[in-house]
Amino acid sequence: GQGVDEPLSATGFRQADAAGLFLSNVKFTHVFSSDLLRAKQTAATILGKNKFCKDLEIKYDARLRERKYGVAEGRPLTDLKAMAKAAGEQCPSFTPSGGETLDEVRERAREFFEFLCRLAVELEQKEQDTHGAASRSSGTSEEQLVFPWTNHCSEAEHSSDNGGASKILDANILVVSHGAYMRNWLGYFVSDLNCTLPTNLTKSQLSTVSPNTGVSHFVIKLENGNLLKPEITCVCLNQDSHL
């Protein structure tokens, strides 16, 4: 949750190191992290392993915090399940006293995603104003698209990055957040924005919380800067082969 702001454990730092090595060849343009300590440390550790952007500024955003669990925070998961059972409900839809509802978490996710889309469109407009439309296709260099997915995704999804570079915005954004929050974000992508999912993804995988430092990769296309109709493709979900 949010109220117990603990640092990473030794295992957490090892996992963050592994994720950093896994993503070391990816050239990010922006990094955003939850402002909770464990996420801050994860983001800094990942960047510290990167070959291109060790000095990139990490921007902290409270909209990326974990779901707030109210009176259940700092207590074992079994306590939360017992509270839910006593209320005649099931996790994760149960909201403890003082906690956030799933709809409230999804609203935070929506606000942050729309902020990212506006950022990408503004970057694109600046690029065109500075260099002209002729340089558009060169803005997405092969170097920026070095994702370590080849062994984990179908070729169709993997190749979706590289086709039509002129339509891909010049933003390659790393977002570091938390398990329950990201599960809600994915729900927003799928239910509200019709995100295209990998063909081999099962329903149980779709509803499972990501493992620590699990990596998900989404390609977002905004045709002609249209913020209302983002085209979203999930390339990989909760990838943990680095652990």
Side-chain angles (χ1 to χ4, degrees), residues 53-163:
C53 37
K54 281 186 172 66
D55 299 324
L56 198 59
E57 179 189 3
I58 302 171
K59 296 183 179 179
Y60 304 111
D61 198 306
R63 290 174 293 186
L64 291 172
R65 286 182 181 181
E66 180 58 290
R67 182 184 181 189
K68 185 178 181 182
Y69 283 96
V71 296
E73 293 193 345
R75 296 166 66 174
L77 180 60
T78 50
D79 285 9
L80 177 64
K81 290 180 177 178
M83 290 179 195
K85 186 176 180 181
E89 297 182 41
Q90 289 186 324
C91 295
S93 56
F94 170 69
T95 303
S97 177
E100 280 183 298
T101 66
L102 294 181
D103 285 344
E104 288 170 333
V105 178
R106 185 173 293 201
E107 180 62 18
R108 279 201 284 127
R110 183 191 65 77
E111 282 185 11
F112 185 76
F113 177 65
E114 290 180 355
F115 157 74
L116 289 186
C117 289
R118 288 194 300 273
L119 171 70
V121 168
E122 286 167 9
L123 284 171
E124 171 61 10
Q125 288 171 344
K126 286 179 184 176
E127 175 75 16
Q128 288 188 341
D129 291 344
T130 306
H131 302 294
S135 68
R136 183 66 199 96
S137 61
S138 64
T140 306
S141 68
E142 191 64 30
E143 189 179 62
Q144 285 177 283
L145 296 172
V146 183
F147 288 96
W149 306 140
T150 343
N151 299 325
H152 314 295
C153 309
S154 72
E155 283 303 313
E157 277 116 16
H158 184 252
S159 64
S160 67
D161 286 20
N162 304 321

Side-chain angles (χ1 to χ4, degrees), residues 14-27:
R14 286 195 298 272
Q15 291 170 332
D17 277 339
L21 288 170
F22 185 61
L23 297 171
S24 61
N25 287 316
V26 182
K27 188 175 183 180

Side-chain angles (χ1 to χ4, degrees), residues 8 13 16-18 20 40-50 58:
L8 290 177
F13 275 113
D17 277 339
K40 286 181 173 181
Q41 291 175 327
T42 301
T45 303
I46 289 172
L47 271 196
K49 300 285 184 185
N50 197 278
I58 302 171

